[in-house]
Amino acid sequence: MIKKIVTIALLMMILIVSGCSGNKQIQQEFLTVDDPESITVLVNKKYAFPEGYEPKDLVYPNVPFIFNEKIEKRMMREEAAEYLENMFNAANKQNIHLAGVSAYRSSQTQTTLFNNYVERDGIEKAKTYSAVPGTSEHQSGLAIDVSGSDGSCAADDCFANTEEAAWLEDNAHKYGYIIRFPKDKENITGYQYEPWHIRYVGVNLATELYNNGLTLEEYFE
């Protein structure tokens, strides 16, 4: 089951982050993913995209978002967008009304967000809930944060107690999506529980992960 998806060469990344004491450099080493276009690509605290990677097939999924603008964070890769539409439609038929919050995110956008979080909370706290630039799932175009249609618990811990979160937990895998950072797996994924962050990996893999209670890290490593 172990699959080789990264090169053996180390990618050295130098981050400039703004903190209370001024700018400083943070040096961190990552393995570079070998096939960033794969729908099962693993990016996390060990594996990063090649510098400047951008998906080639970004589209706007035909689903509601909590904002109206056609901007970067509304986009997803074509296959992921198609299955997202199917999932939202299925949820609607069960009186569960989902909305997108944030999908694709370029490395440049992630850098801005991450630096803001570091300035607010410090580097170590920021890394528990935000990805170092180049290692964000949002850069893949395969991940999206979702909420209920009113957006009241968008990217917030309170989403865990909603009927939308419960529906996603039970049904996302049927449409190729997984809860990427599940509860009680923080020591494996490196991130706190995020019931709103779903990731497209294809129906077969999503179903296998769901049935066995596995994260992508446990499956690939």
Side-chain angles (χ1 to χ4, degrees):
M1 184 178 290
I2 296 176
K3 301 181 179 180
K4 300 296 184 182
I5 62 167
V6 298
T7 62
I8 60 173
L10 284 173
L11 170 68
M12 186 74 72
M13 301 185 71
I14 306 294
L15 307 175
I16 306 296
V17 298
S18 298
C20 297
S21 59
N23 289 343
K24 60 181 179 178
Q25 286 191 334
I26 296 175
Q27 181 172 296
Q28 191 163 344
E29 292 181 344
F30 299 95
L31 292 166
T32 308
V33 297
D34 198 36
D35 185 7
E37 292 291 313
S38 171
I39 64 168
T40 62
V41 64
L42 174 65
V43 287
N44 57 16
K45 293 182 183 294
K46 290 173 61 178
Y47 304 134
F49 286 113
E51 185 176 357
Y53 170 72
E54 180 179 324
K56 298 181 176 66
D57 58 346
L58 291 170
V59 298
Y60 293 105
N62 186 23
V63 301
F65 276 73
I66 63 172
F67 55 88
N68 295 321
E69 298 83 2
K70 276 198 167 184
I71 53 179
E72 175 186 277
K73 66 179 182 178
R74 199 181 185 110
M75 303 179 79
M76 296 193 76
R77 290 187 58 189
E78 189 169 13
E79 182 177 335
E82 177 184 349
Y83 279 83
L84 186 76
E85 292 169 1
N86 294 340
M87 183 170 65
F88 274 45
N89 289 336
N92 282 335
K93 291 176 181 178
Q94 298 179 44
N95 204 33
I96 299 294
H97 303 294
L98 302 170
V101 176
S102 182
Y104 173 68
R105 193 179 300 154
S106 67
S107 180
Q108 293 87 343
T109 299
Q110 184 66 26
T111 298
T112 299
L113 287 173
F114 186 76
N115 285 352
N116 289 340
Y117 294 141
V118 169
E119 185 172 3
R120 185 185 71 186
D121 293 331
I123 182 69
E124 293 306 320
K125 179 66 179 295
K127 287 166 67 176
T128 68
Y129 62 84
S130 182
V132 170
T135 69
S136 172
E137 286 223 318
H138 287 279
Q139 190 177 345
S140 71
L142 300 169
I144 182 172
D145 298 334
V146 297
S147 73
S149 58
D150 63 1
S152 60
C153 284
D156 192 280
D157 290 344
C158 65
F159 183 69
N161 300 317
T162 65
E163 60 182 3
E164 291 87 0
W167 191 91
L168 287 171
E169 183 76 30
D170 293 337
N171 294 280
H173 66 282
K174 300 173 185 176
Y175 307 94
Y177 282 87
I178 60 171
I179 308 299
R180 180 63 180 91
F181 307 123
K183 193 173 184 178
D184 299 325
K185 297 278 189 172
E186 291 89 343
N187 63 320
I188 297 170
T189 65
Y191 291 102
Q192 63 187 35
Y193 175 42
E194 293 189 356
W196 59 83
H197 181 107
I198 59 174
R199 159 69 194 276
Y200 183 73
V201 295
V203 174
N204 290 341
L205 179 55
T207 300
E208 182 172 352
L209 296 178
Y210 174 82
N211 288 339
N212 293 284
L214 297 175
T215 64
L216 276 180
E217 283 79 10
E218 291 168 307
Y219 179 80
F220 281 121
E221 299 177 351

